[in-house]
Amino acid sequence: MILKSQVEWALHCCAILSGLPEGRYLSTKALAEFHGLPKEYLSKALQSLSQAGLVHTTLGPSGGYRLARPPAEVSFLDIVEAVEGSGRTFVCNNIRANNPCRPKGFCDTGPCAVARVMWQADEAWRNTLRGVTMADLGQTLSQEIPPDIWSGTFAWVLKRAG
Amino acid sequence: MILKSQVEWALHCCAILSGLPEGRYLSTKALAEFHGLPKEYLSKALQSLSQAGLVHTTLGPSGGYRLARPPAEVSFLDIVEAVEGSGRTFVCNNIRANNPCRPKGFCDTGPCAVARVMWQADEAWRNTLRGVTMADLGQTLSQEIPPDIWSGTFAWVLKRAG
DNA sequence: TTAAATAGGGATATCTTGTATCCTTAATAG
DNA sequence: CTATTAAGGATACAAGATATCCCTATTTAA
């Protein structure tokens, strides 16, 4: 059970977009080159973000993506769910219902006790991701990346932003 | 990102094995019939439990599986990891290292900030599963299943236990 | 002692999902 | 008008999940 690599890509792209000045955009091409990723396939991940309403897009030259909301209002969970879907990691096929000792329909009253525990774990996972935003990530990054590299990156991005 | 159905199977099988009297065993055949599962494939899941040391096995007629430890010492996490593996759900491919503005080897000092957050969520998930044992599950089940069905199931199992 | 039942595991087949590329269309800026 | 862009459909390929079959060694029951 491993998350798609698109999740990683989407998170890093949003991290970059978080640092983008108001009103400017970054294209798929720029984001792909920056991260060394296949442009066409990365595009699919960005489309997922777009469909989820996390990013705003414009067409044409100097078009591309920017965050649709302030970084403090975009959580890890938002991004992960946009790409990976919001389904649970544990799917209950209700195999307890096959128990030959149970009358038909006996298991219709509510979810299986096994599933409830598994879903509780899923919730704990979600809650952690819900609690960290792109603003938090930016804070962390600016603390652990030396100023010269940080500003160099910033310049690189701005040069390619529309 | 969905857990294998074998995880569900393994959990339910361990739940049944938890109720087995000392020294008795349940075969793959019995467990498969009880849950309505494909015998051969369920066998692979049970082999995973065996390799993880969660169950003890014997050969021959009246052979099969029993828990290797008391139910209170077998957690959901033990079972999930036995079947699904203990790897993280988020794999960091360190794409930040492709950033053209970073000198070679700059990212060797430690894991990416994005990965750290994702792994923190994984830990929350694990911690939840670590905190629930087969004994807890048995307690829950005995409370929500009517006594007659509970004892009927118990009889069914014993009839097929070696 | 023999026969039946069992776990273990290798080989194989199939189906689903993730990964990746290519191409067309519509919109937009210069 | 032209170059550039996002969106999305079609397709191909790889990897993993699901499932079955078969053989072997071991152990119990008769």
Side-chain angles (χ1 to χ4, degrees):
Chain A
M1 189 190 57
I2 292 180
L3 288 163
K4 313 189 207 187
S5 52
Q6 285 192 338
V7 170
E8 181 183 17
W9 302 356
L11 287 168
H12 281 277
C13 285
C14 286
I16 295 294
L17 293 179
S18 294
L20 210 55
E22 183 78 18
R24 308 191 69 174
Y25 294 81
L26 261 187
S27 70
T28 306
K29 186 158 174 284
L31 287 166
E33 283 173 4
F34 184 82
H35 293 111
L37 301 174
K39 174 171 158 307
E40 306 276 1
Y41 193 33
L42 171 63
S43 169
K44 307 294 184 186
L46 297 172
Q47 284 174 38
S48 298
L49 296 179
S50 175
Q51 285 169 1
L54 298 182
V55 296
H56 180 252
T57 71
T58 55
L59 288 175
S62 81
Y65 300 87
R66 65 169 171 82
L67 284 192
R69 304 197 293 262
E73 293 172 25
V74 178
S75 71
F76 269 62
L77 183 62
D78 291 328
I79 298 165
V80 170
E81 286 195 334
V83 173
E84 189 71 37
S86 53
R88 307 181 195 262
T89 68
F90 181 85
V91 173
C92 177
N93 294 114
N94 219 21
I95 63 173
R96 62 174 177 164
N98 298 327
N99 177 334
C101 311
R102 295 190 179 188
K104 274 261 177 217
F106 171 72
C107 295
D108 299 349
T109 50
C112 177
V114 167
R116 292 204 304 273
V117 172
M118 296 301 293
W119 292 343
Q120 205 177 311
D122 277 351
E123 264 319 294
W125 186 77
R126 281 176 157 62
N127 283 335
T128 302
L129 296 182
R130 209 189 324 267
V132 186
T133 70
M134 284 299 106
D136 300 325
L137 179 63
Q139 185 73 17
T140 302
L141 289 176
S142 66
Q143 276 170 12
E144 61 187 37
I145 296 178
D148 56 324
I149 294 182
W150 187 249
S151 64
T153 298
F154 199 61
W156 189 100
V157 167
L158 278 187
K159 197 158 64 181
R160 281 161 184 79
Chain B
M1 190 191 56
I2 293 180
L3 289 163
K4 312 189 208 189
S5 51
Q6 285 191 337
V7 170
E8 182 183 16
W9 303 354
L11 287 168
H12 281 278
C13 285
C14 286
I16 295 294
L17 294 179
S18 295
L20 210 57
E22 183 79 16
R24 308 191 68 173
Y25 293 81
L26 261 186
S27 70
T28 305
K29 186 158 174 286
L31 287 167
E33 283 173 4
F34 184 82
H35 292 111
L37 301 174
K39 173 171 158 309
E40 307 274 3
Y41 193 33
L42 172 62
S43 169
K44 307 293 184 186
L46 297 173
Q47 284 173 37
S48 297
L49 296 178
S50 174
Q51 285 169 2
L54 298 182
V55 296
H56 181 252
T57 70
T58 54
L59 289 175
S62 81
Y65 299 88
R66 66 169 172 82
L67 285 192
R69 305 198 291 262
E73 292 172 25
V74 178
S75 72
F76 270 61
L77 184 63
D78 291 329
I79 299 165
V80 170
E81 285 195 335
V83 173
E84 190 70 38
S86 53
R88 307 182 196 262
T89 68
F90 182 85
V91 173
C92 177
N93 294 113
N94 217 23
I95 63 172
R96 61 173 178 164
N98 298 326
N99 178 334
C101 311
R102 296 191 178 186
K104 275 259 178 225
F106 171 71
C107 296
D108 299 348
T109 50
C112 177
V114 167
R116 292 204 304 272
V117 172
M118 296 303 294
W119 292 343
Q120 205 176 311
D122 278 350
E123 262 319 293
W125 186 77
R126 282 174 156 61
N127 283 335
T128 302
L129 296 182
R130 205 187 331 264
V132 186
T133 69
M134 285 298 106
D136 299 325
L137 180 62
Q139 185 72 15
T140 302
L141 289 175
S142 67
Q143 277 170 11
E144 60 187 39
I145 294 177
D148 56 325
I149 294 182
W150 188 248
S151 64
T153 298
F154 199 61
W156 189 100
V157 167
L158 279 188
K159 197 160 63 182
R160 280 160 184 80

